[in-house]
Amino acid sequence: MAISEQSSKNSGTMVEIDRLIHEPARFNIMAHLYVIQSADFLFLQKQIGLTWGNLSSHLAKLEKAGYIEIEKDFIGKKPHTMLYLSNNGRTAFEDYHKRMKQVFKHLPA
Amino acid sequence: MANISNLKEIEKKVFSSYFHDGMLDLYGGLMLLGFGLSILTNKIYLLIICITLAMVPLLIRKHIVLPRLGLVKFSAERQAKTKKSKLIALITGVFILFLVTFFMALFSVNILPAWVEALMNDYLLAFLGVMIASIVAIAAFIVKVRRFYIYAVVIFIVFCLASILSPLDMEGIIIVSAGGIILLSGTIIFIRFLHHNPLSREEIAKWQ
């Protein structure tokens, strides 16, 4: 059996995983935003332990995919960024969770 | 990823992290210190001064802690749970206050049976200890911070000791020591918080 044929047969049995959420840092961001209503940039950064730039770049990717919403406003004169999971993001995270469970369902303990 | 796979644990961690700044410890420690000092010196104004000083942690939280910690809005479920716990704490507090006032009133007009009066004379501080420790334990349950359970046990033991040692006039010193220990613990936690959460350049620029 040719390698490409074997590979395509295997991929047919594999569950499709959302690669955007599968990345550990983004999974962490999604998981944190899933359990709360919203948080600002600083709070999320402290909880997850990413650098300012790293978090910004992951958030931009998640925002582009429509998984999170970023709201910029002012508290007094200070700029403030609140982040929350969009309905789309919430559904995607639940779906990811379901699929991952399915992947490991038949794994011996 | 093993340590972040449990969503309930993440939620608990996020919620309790909001109280790892030592402010509640400073607040409780100052209250206890004031109570102990007023017993020790028989000067009630020391209690009032300490209660007033106990408001300082609220200002510290607003101006020093939150710019370092950031803001979060918890889920509707968590908000409802917190509201319910606060209501239970409030009802318990009011009930305890009512009980204390009721017994004090009966005690002052001398209509309590002799054995109850004797019991109150001998174990008044121990009763008070049970009440304060209960309130602290409820606070520990609400904010899910384990060290508050330890404080509740310390307060209970300290007030029992104070009750036993009250004939030696040592109850004030013991309560002041307990307040001091909690205050010191709060200060250390606050310093550690400041050390672990320095203001970033972006934050300094933002808050100026």
Side-chain angles (χ1 to χ4, degrees):
Chain A
M1 197 184 290
I3 292 173
S4 60
E5 208 179 314
Q6 178 71 46
S7 145
S8 86
K9 198 177 174 185
N10 283 345
S11 67
T13 58
M14 282 294 280
V15 180
E16 288 255 335
I17 296 293
D18 189 333
R19 281 168 182 266
L20 196 73
I21 302 177
H22 197 60
E23 201 280 329
R26 285 195 289 271
F27 172 81
N28 211 352
I29 294 170
M30 293 286 282
H32 274 80
L33 288 176
Y34 185 80
V35 295
I36 56 174
Q37 210 174 82
S38 60
D40 68 359
F41 192 94
L42 178 67
F43 186 83
L44 204 61
Q45 192 197 1
K46 300 271 171 182
Q47 291 294 322
I48 295 170
L50 292 176
T51 61
W52 194 273
N54 215 343
L55 181 60
S56 276
S57 120
H58 286 303
L59 287 175
K61 281 179 189 161
L62 290 170
E63 191 190 18
K64 200 176 163 194
Y67 288 173
I68 62 161
E69 279 170 36
I70 299 177
E71 201 178 81
K72 289 186 178 174
D73 59 357
F74 283 85
I75 295 182
K77 285 179 182 173
K78 294 153 199 160
H80 191 247
T81 309
M82 278 310 263
L83 311 154
Y84 44 93
L85 219 53
S86 65
N87 287 337
N88 198 7
R90 203 160 275 274
T91 314
F93 188 73
E94 280 163 5
D95 191 48
Y96 171 83
H97 178 243
K98 226 182 279 171
R99 280 165 193 263
M100 286 303 282
K101 256 175 125 178
Q102 210 178 321
V103 168
F104 293 109
K105 201 167 66 180
H106 300 296
L107 206 69
Chain B
M1 227 157 62
N3 60 340
I4 55 165
S5 58
N6 189 337
L7 290 175
K8 264 189 185 168
E9 285 302 313
I10 293 176
E11 204 271 341
K12 260 190 205 171
K13 190 199 87 178
V14 169
F15 182 70
S16 63
S17 74
Y18 224 52
F19 303 98
H20 281 157
D21 52 9
M23 289 304 110
L24 280 173
D25 314 56
L26 291 180
Y27 180 81
L30 278 167
M31 295 286 246
L32 211 57
L33 196 70
F35 184 64
L37 282 174
S38 65
I39 289 180
L40 194 67
T41 58
N42 272 330
K43 284 167 184 157
I44 195 82
Y45 69 83
L46 285 174
L47 176 63
I48 297 165
I49 289 173
C50 283
I51 290 175
T52 314
L53 277 178
M55 299 298 135
V56 173
L58 298 177
L59 293 173
I60 295 177
R61 187 166 167 85
K62 190 181 170 195
H63 295 288
I64 297 173
V65 173
L66 287 181
R68 284 170 166 82
L69 193 63
L71 294 174
V72 62
K73 211 171 170 187
F74 293 103
S75 64
E77 192 188 331
R78 167 62 74 184
Q79 283 180 33
K81 220 191 253 182
T82 310
K83 212 181 258 180
K84 198 172 146 192
S85 305
K86 277 182 184 167
L87 190 71
I88 292 171
L90 187 74
I91 291 169
T92 313
V94 169
F95 178 71
I96 288 171
L97 201 69
F98 168 76
L99 220 61
V100 171
T101 316
F102 180 70
F103 272 100
M104 286 301 185
L106 292 181
F107 192 64
S108 61
V109 291
N110 291 326
I111 56 166
L112 283 171
W115 66 273
V116 178
E117 269 194 36
L119 206 69
M120 280 185 73
N121 269 329
D122 293 344
Y123 299 108
L124 182 65
L125 280 170
F127 287 137
L128 211 59
V130 171
M131 288 166 188
I132 297 173
S134 312
I135 292 170
V136 175
I138 290 169
F141 178 74
I142 294 172
V143 298
K144 310 268 180 251
V145 177
R146 280 188 201 154
R147 70 175 181 277
F148 289 164
Y149 287 115
I150 298 171
Y151 290 163
V153 173
V154 167
I155 287 169
F156 174 70
I157 293 171
V158 157
F159 274 78
C160 285
L161 266 176
S163 177
I164 293 164
L165 295 174
S166 61
L168 303 172
D169 274 342
M170 285 184 71
E171 68 269 31
I173 294 172
I174 289 169
I175 296 170
V176 165
S177 319
I181 290 168
I182 295 175
L183 200 64
L184 186 71
S185 154
T187 310
I188 292 168
I189 291 164
F190 180 51
I191 291 170
R192 229 170 45 188
F193 171 83
L194 291 179
H195 183 70
H196 289 305
N197 299 282
L199 274 182
S200 61
R201 275 186 207 151
E202 291 88 344
E203 277 306 301
I204 293 168
K206 207 169 92 175
W207 289 89
Q208 268 171 355

